[in-house]
Amino acid sequence: MRKKRLGRTELQLPVVGIGTAFVGVPTQNDTVVEVDDERRRLDEALGLRTLVTAIDAGCTFIDTAVLYGRSMSESMIGEALRQRPAAKDAIIVTTKTGRSHLGYDFSFDGILRSVEQSLERLGLDRLKIVYIHDAMGQPMAEVLSARGALGALRHLQSQGIIEHIGTACNNPPTNLEYIRTGEFDAAVIADCWSLINHIAAREIFAAAAEHDVGLVGATPLERSLLVAGPQADAKYLNRIFSPDCLAHVGKIQQLCKRYDAPMLAVALQWCTRHPQVASVIPGARVPEEAETSLAAAEVDIPAQLWEELEPMLRHFDSAIDV
C-alpha cells in the first residue's frame, strides 16, 4: 500500500489504516447500534477476528483509544498481536489518553497511569503516537501545562516510551486551537474531512501546514453513507443528512459506477490526496469491513474520474451529536 510521511515526523503511514471505535460493536439492520456505558455490548470474539483479519490483509496502522469499548479495543488489539507475533514490529499502533468511559482526567499522574495501562493492554513497550483525546471544554492552559497532559506526555517522550504527541478531538474547532499551538506532531481530525464535509479546508489545513502537523482523517465514510450510498429510511449514527446532501451523494455514486470504481475507494483515496493528510482510519466493526477498506486503498482510480469529481465537490452541514 502507498505510504505518506506524517507531517514533521519520520513516520511513513499507509494511506488507509483501521479505526477501532466500533470494532466488535453489534449492529441492527446494518446500522451501528448507538450504545451508552450501561448498554454497550461488545462481541469480543468478533472484534478479535476483525483485527486478525485486518493484520492478515496487510494492515500496518491501527488507531485506538482508552475510551473505545471501555478500553476493550486496546485489549483486543493486544490479543490480535499475540496471535500474529510476526506482524507486531510492522504495525504502527496509536492510542489516545485523557478520556475514558469513567470521564476525563488530563492531570499529569492521570495521563501517566493511563498510558501505562494502555501499554499493558496492548502488550507493547512503547508507542509511536499518543494523542490527547477530546479536550473540548477543558482549560487549555492546564492541559498544556507541565503539570497537565502535555507535560506528562513530554515526560514519557523523554524516556523513549512514546515517540510523538498528538491531539485528537471530535470537535473541529477544539482540534484547530490545539494544532495552532505548534506543540503537536500529529492530529486525528474527525467530522471535518470527507467528500461531503470540508470544514478542515477552512482553517485546519492552514494551521497544520504552518507547523507541519501530520493529519489522520477519521470519519471519512460518514457513517457508511459514502460506502453504500443513500438508502431509503437509513439511520446514521450521530448524523442527519439533508435530502439535498443524500441526492448529491447519489450523483457521486453514479459517477463512480460509470468508471466501475467503488465509492468506498474514491471516498478514502480522495481524503489523502490532500498533502497534509497522511492517512485515513475508517472504522471496522466486522472482518469484511476491514478487508474492503484496506483493499480500497489499492484500487486504481482513473484520472478522468478525479477530474469529473472535482467540480462536484461541495460541503454539506449535518447534525452531529458530539
Side-chain angles (χ1 to χ4, degrees), residues 256-305:
C256 295
K257 286 181 177 178
R258 281 201 287 113
Y259 285 96
D260 196 27
M263 187 163 61
L264 165 66
V266 172
L268 293 179
Q269 291 190 32
W270 178 82
C271 289
T272 59
R273 285 168 69 83
H274 192 281
Q276 213 66 32
V277 181
S279 182
V280 287
I281 43 173
R285 298 173 294 114
V286 297
E288 293 77 14
E289 289 182 348
E291 289 179 318
T292 55
S293 289
L294 293 168
E298 313 262 12
V299 173
D300 186 18
I301 308 295
Q304 295 92 330
L305 187 154

Short mmCIF file of all heavy atoms in Angstrom, two decimals, residues 256-305:
data_model
loop_
_atom_site.label_atom_id
_atom_site.label_comp_id
_atom_site.label_asym_id
_atom_site.label_seq_id
_atom_site.Cartn_x
_atom_site.Cartn_y
_atom_site.Cartn_z
N CYS A 256 -19.07 7.18 -9.87
CA CYS A 256 -18.18 6.06 -9.55
C CYS A 256 -18.58 4.81 -10.34
O CYS A 256 -17.71 4.07 -10.85
CB CYS A 256 -18.22 5.77 -8.05
SG CYS A 256 -17.55 7.10 -7.03
N LYS A 257 -19.87 4.58 -10.48
CA LYS A 257 -20.34 3.40 -11.21
C LYS A 257 -19.95 3.48 -12.68
O LYS A 257 -19.62 2.47 -13.31
CB LYS A 257 -21.85 3.26 -11.06
CG LYS A 257 -22.29 2.76 -9.69
CD LYS A 257 -23.80 2.61 -9.60
CE LYS A 257 -24.22 2.05 -8.25
NZ LYS A 257 -25.70 1.94 -8.13
N ARG A 258 -19.99 4.68 -13.25
CA ARG A 258 -19.63 4.82 -14.67
C ARG A 258 -18.18 4.41 -14.92
O ARG A 258 -17.84 3.94 -16.01
CB ARG A 258 -19.85 6.26 -15.12
CG ARG A 258 -21.29 6.59 -15.41
CD ARG A 258 -21.43 7.80 -16.31
NE ARG A 258 -21.14 9.05 -15.64
CZ ARG A 258 -20.10 9.81 -15.92
NH1 ARG A 258 -19.20 9.44 -16.84
NH2 ARG A 258 -19.91 10.96 -15.28
N TYR A 259 -17.34 4.60 -13.92
CA TYR A 259 -15.93 4.23 -14.06
C TYR A 259 -15.62 2.89 -13.38
O TYR A 259 -14.46 2.51 -13.26
CB TYR A 259 -15.04 5.33 -13.48
CG TYR A 259 -14.95 6.55 -14.37
CD1 TYR A 259 -15.78 7.65 -14.16
CD2 TYR A 259 -14.05 6.59 -15.44
CE1 TYR A 259 -15.70 8.77 -14.98
CE2 TYR A 259 -13.97 7.69 -16.26
CZ TYR A 259 -14.80 8.78 -16.02
OH TYR A 259 -14.71 9.89 -16.85
N ASP A 260 -16.66 2.22 -12.92
CA ASP A 260 -16.51 0.92 -12.26
C ASP A 260 -15.53 1.01 -11.09
O ASP A 260 -14.69 0.14 -10.87
CB ASP A 260 -16.02 -0.15 -13.26
CG ASP A 260 -16.22 -1.56 -12.73
OD1 ASP A 260 -17.13 -1.77 -11.91
OD2 ASP A 260 -15.45 -2.46 -13.13
N ALA A 261 -15.66 2.11 -10.33
CA ALA A 261 -14.81 2.33 -9.15
C ALA A 261 -15.69 2.35 -7.90
O ALA A 261 -16.68 3.09 -7.86
CB ALA A 261 -14.06 3.65 -9.27
N PRO A 262 -15.39 1.55 -6.90
CA PRO A 262 -16.20 1.58 -5.68
C PRO A 262 -16.17 2.97 -5.04
O PRO A 262 -15.11 3.59 -4.93
CB PRO A 262 -15.50 0.56 -4.77
CG PRO A 262 -14.68 -0.29 -5.68
CD PRO A 262 -14.28 0.60 -6.80
N MET A 263 -17.32 3.48 -4.64
CA MET A 263 -17.36 4.78 -3.97
C MET A 263 -16.53 4.75 -2.70
O MET A 263 -15.94 5.76 -2.31
CB MET A 263 -18.80 5.20 -3.67
CG MET A 263 -18.90 6.62 -3.12
SD MET A 263 -20.55 7.36 -3.19
CE MET A 263 -21.46 6.22 -2.14
N LEU A 264 -16.47 3.60 -2.03
CA LEU A 264 -15.62 3.44 -0.86
C LEU A 264 -14.18 3.82 -1.18
O LEU A 264 -13.53 4.56 -0.43
CB LEU A 264 -15.69 1.99 -0.36
CG LEU A 264 -14.63 1.53 0.63
CD1 LEU A 264 -14.78 2.27 1.95
CD2 LEU A 264 -14.71 0.03 0.84
N ALA A 265 -13.66 3.30 -2.29
CA ALA A 265 -12.28 3.59 -2.67
C ALA A 265 -12.09 5.07 -3.00
O ALA A 265 -11.09 5.69 -2.61
CB ALA A 265 -11.88 2.73 -3.86
N VAL A 266 -13.05 5.64 -3.70
CA VAL A 266 -12.96 7.05 -4.06
C VAL A 266 -12.99 7.92 -2.80
O VAL A 266 -12.20 8.86 -2.65
CB VAL A 266 -14.10 7.43 -5.03
CG1 VAL A 266 -14.13 8.94 -5.27
CG2 VAL A 266 -13.94 6.69 -6.36
N ALA A 267 -13.90 7.59 -1.87
CA ALA A 267 -14.03 8.38 -0.65
C ALA A 267 -12.76 8.36 0.18
O ALA A 267 -12.33 9.39 0.72
CB ALA A 267 -15.21 7.87 0.16
N LEU A 268 -12.15 7.19 0.31
CA LEU A 268 -10.94 7.06 1.13
C LEU A 268 -9.74 7.70 0.44
O LEU A 268 -8.99 8.47 1.05
CB LEU A 268 -10.66 5.60 1.43
CG LEU A 268 -11.67 4.88 2.33
CD1 LEU A 268 -11.26 3.42 2.52
CD2 LEU A 268 -11.81 5.56 3.68
N GLN A 269 -9.55 7.40 -0.83
CA GLN A 269 -8.38 7.92 -1.53
C GLN A 269 -8.46 9.43 -1.72
O GLN A 269 -7.42 10.12 -1.69
CB GLN A 269 -8.22 7.22 -2.88
CG GLN A 269 -7.84 5.75 -2.76
CD GLN A 269 -7.45 5.16 -4.10
OE1 GLN A 269 -6.90 5.84 -4.97
NE2 GLN A 269 -7.73 3.88 -4.28
N TRP A 270 -9.66 9.97 -1.89
CA TRP A 270 -9.79 11.42 -2.06
C TRP A 270 -9.26 12.16 -0.84
O TRP A 270 -8.58 13.19 -0.96
CB TRP A 270 -11.25 11.80 -2.32
CG TRP A 270 -11.42 13.28 -2.46
CD1 TRP A 270 -11.21 14.03 -3.59
CD2 TRP A 270 -11.81 14.20 -1.43
NE1 TRP A 270 -11.45 15.37 -3.32
CE2 TRP A 270 -11.82 15.50 -1.99
CE3 TRP A 270 -12.15 14.06 -0.09
CZ2 TRP A 270 -12.15 16.64 -1.27
CZ3 TRP A 270 -12.49 15.18 0.64
CH2 TRP A 270 -12.49 16.46 0.05
N CYS A 271 -9.55 11.65 0.34
CA CYS A 271 -9.11 12.32 1.57
C CYS A 271 -7.60 12.49 1.62
O CYS A 271 -7.10 13.54 2.04
CB CYS A 271 -9.59 11.54 2.80
SG CYS A 271 -11.36 11.61 3.10
N THR A 272 -6.87 11.48 1.21
CA THR A 272 -5.41 11.53 1.32
C THR A 272 -4.75 12.17 0.11
O THR A 272 -3.52 12.25 0.04
CB THR A 272 -4.82 10.14 1.56
OG1 THR A 272 -5.18 9.26 0.49
CG2 THR A 272 -5.33 9.55 2.87
N ARG A 273 -5.55 12.64 -0.83
CA ARG A 273 -4.97 13.43 -1.94
C ARG A 273 -4.51 14.79 -1.43
O ARG A 273 -3.66 15.43 -2.05
CB ARG A 273 -6.00 13.59 -3.07
CG ARG A 273 -6.19 12.32 -3.90
CD ARG A 273 -7.41 12.42 -4.80
NE ARG A 273 -7.24 13.38 -5.88
CZ ARG A 273 -6.63 13.15 -7.05
NH1 ARG A 273 -6.09 11.96 -7.28
NH2 ARG A 273 -6.57 14.07 -7.98
N HIS A 274 -5.06 15.23 -0.29
CA HIS A 274 -4.58 16.49 0.29
C HIS A 274 -3.19 16.26 0.87
O HIS A 274 -2.94 15.28 1.57
CB HIS A 274 -5.52 16.98 1.39
CG HIS A 274 -5.22 18.38 1.81
ND1 HIS A 274 -4.18 18.69 2.67
CD2 HIS A 274 -5.80 19.56 1.46
CE1 HIS A 274 -4.14 19.99 2.84
NE2 HIS A 274 -5.10 20.55 2.12
N PRO A 275 -2.24 17.16 0.61
CA PRO A 275 -0.85 16.92 1.03
C PRO A 275 -0.66 16.78 2.53
O PRO A 275 0.29 16.12 2.97
CB PRO A 275 -0.10 18.14 0.49
CG PRO A 275 -1.15 19.17 0.21
CD PRO A 275 -2.38 18.41 -0.16
N GLN A 276 -1.53 17.40 3.35
CA GLN A 276 -1.32 17.33 4.80
C GLN A 276 -1.93 16.08 5.43
O GLN A 276 -1.63 15.75 6.57
CB GLN A 276 -1.91 18.58 5.47
CG GLN A 276 -1.16 19.04 6.70
CD GLN A 276 0.24 19.53 6.39
OE1 GLN A 276 0.49 20.09 5.33
NE2 GLN A 276 1.17 19.30 7.31
N VAL A 277 -2.79 15.38 4.69
CA VAL A 277 -3.46 14.19 5.22
C VAL A 277 -2.67 12.95 4.83
O VAL A 277 -2.63 12.57 3.66
CB VAL A 277 -4.91 14.09 4.71
CG1 VAL A 277 -5.60 12.85 5.31
CG2 VAL A 277 -5.69 15.35 5.07
N ALA A 278 -2.05 12.33 5.81
CA ALA A 278 -1.21 11.17 5.53
C ALA A 278 -2.01 9.89 5.40
O ALA A 278 -1.66 8.99 4.63
CB ALA A 278 -0.17 11.00 6.63
N SER A 279 -3.08 9.77 6.19
CA SER A 279 -3.81 8.50 6.25
C SER A 279 -5.25 8.76 6.68
O SER A 279 -5.57 9.82 7.24
CB SER A 279 -3.13 7.55 7.24
OG SER A 279 -3.78 6.28 7.28
N VAL A 280 -6.09 7.79 6.43
CA VAL A 280 -7.45 7.79 6.96
C VAL A 280 -7.66 6.48 7.71
O VAL A 280 -7.05 5.46 7.41
CB VAL A 280 -8.52 7.95 5.87
CG1 VAL A 280 -8.54 9.36 5.34
CG2 VAL A 280 -8.31 6.95 4.74
N ILE A 281 -8.55 6.53 8.70
CA ILE A 281 -8.77 5.36 9.55
C ILE A 281 -10.26 5.02 9.62
O ILE A 281 -10.91 5.26 10.63
CB ILE A 281 -8.20 5.58 10.97
CG1 ILE A 281 -8.54 6.99 11.50
CG2 ILE A 281 -6.69 5.38 10.96
CD1 ILE A 281 -8.16 7.21 12.95
N PRO A 282 -10.79 4.46 8.54
CA PRO A 282 -12.19 4.03 8.58
C PRO A 282 -12.38 2.97 9.66
O PRO A 282 -11.51 2.12 9.86
CB PRO A 282 -12.43 3.45 7.18
CG PRO A 282 -11.06 3.03 6.71
CD PRO A 282 -10.12 4.05 7.28
N GLY A 283 -13.50 3.03 10.32
CA GLY A 283 -13.77 2.04 11.35
C GLY A 283 -14.13 0.69 10.76
O GLY A 283 -14.69 0.60 9.67
N ALA A 284 -13.78 -0.35 11.48
CA ALA A 284 -14.12 -1.71 11.05
C ALA A 284 -14.83 -2.42 12.19
O ALA A 284 -14.24 -2.62 13.25
CB ALA A 284 -12.86 -2.47 10.65
N ARG A 285 -16.09 -2.75 11.98
CA ARG A 285 -16.85 -3.49 13.00
C ARG A 285 -16.65 -4.98 12.86
O ARG A 285 -16.60 -5.72 13.82
CB ARG A 285 -18.34 -3.17 12.89
CG ARG A 285 -18.71 -1.72 13.12
CD ARG A 285 -20.18 -1.49 12.82
NE ARG A 285 -20.47 -1.68 11.40
CZ ARG A 285 -21.23 -2.64 10.89
NH1 ARG A 285 -21.80 -3.51 11.67
NH2 ARG A 285 -21.41 -2.74 9.59
N VAL A 286 -16.57 -5.42 11.59
CA VAL A 286 -16.52 -6.84 11.27
C VAL A 286 -15.38 -7.10 10.29
O VAL A 286 -14.88 -6.16 9.65
CB VAL A 286 -17.87 -7.30 10.66
CG1 VAL A 286 -19.00 -7.13 11.68
CG2 VAL A 286 -18.19 -6.53 9.39
N PRO A 287 -14.96 -8.35 10.13
CA PRO A 287 -13.83 -8.64 9.24
C PRO A 287 -14.00 -8.13 7.83
O PRO A 287 -13.05 -7.61 7.23
CB PRO A 287 -13.75 -10.17 9.28
CG PRO A 287 -14.29 -10.54 10.62
CD PRO A 287 -15.39 -9.56 10.88
N GLU A 288 -15.20 -8.24 7.28
CA GLU A 288 -15.41 -7.82 5.90
C GLU A 288 -15.15 -6.34 5.71
O GLU A 288 -14.62 -5.92 4.67
CB GLU A 288 -16.85 -8.15 5.46
CG GLU A 288 -17.16 -9.63 5.37
CD GLU A 288 -17.39 -10.29 6.72
OE1 GLU A 288 -17.56 -9.56 7.74
OE2 GLU A 288 -17.39 -11.54 6.78
N GLU A 289 -15.49 -5.53 6.71
CA GLU A 289 -15.24 -4.09 6.60
C GLU A 289 -13.75 -3.79 6.61
O GLU A 289 -13.28 -2.90 5.89
CB GLU A 289 -15.95 -3.35 7.72
CG GLU A 289 -17.46 -3.33 7.58
CD GLU A 289 -18.16 -2.56 8.68
OE1 GLU A 289 -17.51 -2.20 9.68
OE2 GLU A 289 -19.36 -2.31 8.53
N ALA A 290 -13.00 -4.52 7.41
CA ALA A 290 -11.55 -4.33 7.42
C ALA A 290 -10.95 -4.68 6.06
O ALA A 290 -10.13 -3.94 5.51
CB ALA A 290 -10.92 -5.18 8.52
N GLU A 291 -11.38 -5.80 5.52
CA GLU A 291 -10.84 -6.26 4.23
C GLU A 291 -11.16 -5.28 3.11
O GLU A 291 -10.28 -4.93 2.30
CB GLU A 291 -11.39 -7.64 3.89
CG GLU A 291 -10.84 -8.77 4.74
CD GLU A 291 -11.45 -10.11 4.39
OE1 GLU A 291 -12.68 -10.17 4.17
OE2 GLU A 291 -10.71 -11.10 4.33
N THR A 292 -12.41 -4.83 3.04
CA THR A 292 -12.80 -3.97 1.93
C THR A 292 -12.14 -2.59 2.02
O THR A 292 -11.76 -2.00 1.01
CB THR A 292 -14.32 -3.82 1.85
OG1 THR A 292 -14.83 -3.35 3.11
CG2 THR A 292 -14.98 -5.14 1.50
N SER A 293 -12.00 -2.07 3.23
CA SER A 293 -11.35 -0.77 3.38
C SER A 293 -9.89 -0.83 2.97
O SER A 293 -9.38 0.06 2.28
CB SER A 293 -11.48 -0.26 4.82
OG SER A 293 -12.81 0.10 5.11
N LEU A 294 -9.20 -1.86 3.40
CA LEU A 294 -7.79 -1.99 3.05
C LEU A 294 -7.61 -2.22 1.55
O LEU A 294 -6.71 -1.66 0.93
CB LEU A 294 -7.16 -3.14 3.84
CG LEU A 294 -7.07 -2.89 5.36
CD1 LEU A 294 -6.72 -4.18 6.10
CD2 LEU A 294 -6.04 -1.81 5.67
N ALA A 295 -8.50 -3.02 0.97
CA ALA A 295 -8.42 -3.26 -0.47
C ALA A 295 -8.72 -1.99 -1.26
O ALA A 295 -8.19 -1.78 -2.36
CB ALA A 295 -9.40 -4.37 -0.87
N ALA A 296 -9.57 -1.12 -0.70
CA ALA A 296 -9.94 0.11 -1.39
C ALA A 296 -8.75 1.02 -1.64
O ALA A 296 -8.73 1.80 -2.60
CB ALA A 296 -11.01 0.86 -0.59
N ALA A 297 -7.75 0.92 -0.78
CA ALA A 297 -6.56 1.75 -0.94
C ALA A 297 -5.77 1.38 -2.19
O ALA A 297 -4.99 2.18 -2.71
CB ALA A 297 -5.66 1.63 0.29
N GLU A 298 -5.96 0.15 -2.66
CA GLU A 298 -5.18 -0.36 -3.80
C GLU A 298 -5.92 -0.20 -5.13
O GLU A 298 -5.37 -0.52 -6.18
CB GLU A 298 -4.88 -1.84 -3.56
CG GLU A 298 -4.36 -2.15 -2.17
CD GLU A 298 -2.87 -2.27 -2.10
OE1 GLU A 298 -2.22 -1.90 -3.08
OE2 GLU A 298 -2.37 -2.75 -1.07
N VAL A 299 -7.17 0.25 -5.09
CA VAL A 299 -7.95 0.39 -6.32
C VAL A 299 -7.36 1.50 -7.19
O VAL A 299 -7.06 2.60 -6.70
CB VAL A 299 -9.43 0.68 -6.00
CG1 VAL A 299 -10.21 0.99 -7.28
CG2 VAL A 299 -10.06 -0.50 -5.27
N ASP A 300 -7.20 1.23 -8.46
CA ASP A 300 -6.68 2.23 -9.40
C ASP A 300 -7.84 3.12 -9.84
O ASP A 300 -8.75 2.67 -10.54
CB ASP A 300 -6.05 1.53 -10.59
CG ASP A 300 -5.36 2.50 -11.53
OD1 ASP A 300 -5.08 3.64 -11.11
OD2 ASP A 300 -5.13 2.13 -12.70
N ILE A 301 -7.82 4.38 -9.44
CA ILE A 301 -8.88 5.32 -9.79
C ILE A 301 -8.47 6.08 -11.05
O ILE A 301 -7.42 6.73 -11.06
CB ILE A 301 -9.14 6.32 -8.64
CG1 ILE A 301 -9.38 5.59 -7.32
CG2 ILE A 301 -10.32 7.22 -9.00
CD1 ILE A 301 -10.60 4.75 -7.26
N PRO A 302 -9.26 6.03 -12.11
CA PRO A 302 -8.89 6.74 -13.34
C PRO A 302 -8.78 8.25 -13.12
O PRO A 302 -9.55 8.85 -12.36
CB PRO A 302 -10.06 6.42 -14.29
CG PRO A 302 -10.71 5.21 -13.74
CD PRO A 302 -10.52 5.28 -12.25
N ALA A 303 -7.83 8.85 -13.77
CA ALA A 303 -7.63 10.29 -13.65
C ALA A 303 -8.88 11.05 -14.09
O ALA A 303 -9.22 12.10 -13.54
CB ALA A 303 -6.43 10.72 -14.49
N GLN A 304 -9.59 10.49 -15.08
CA GLN A 304 -10.80 11.16 -15.57
C GLN A 304 -11.87 11.25 -14.48
O GLN A 304 -12.63 12.21 -14.42
CB GLN A 304 -11.37 10.42 -16.79
CG GLN A 304 -10.44 10.44 -17.99
CD GLN A 304 -9.52 9.23 -18.01
OE1 GLN A 304 -9.16 8.68 -16.97
NE2 GLN A 304 -9.15 8.81 -19.21
N LEU A 305 -11.94 10.23 -13.61
CA LEU A 305 -12.91 10.28 -12.52
C LEU A 305 -12.60 11.43 -11.58
O LEU A 305 -13.50 12.19 -11.20
CB LEU A 305 -12.93 8.95 -11.76
CG LEU A 305 -14.03 8.78 -10.70
CD1 LEU A 305 -14.35 7.30 -10.48
CD2 LEU A 305 -13.66 9.40 -9.36
#
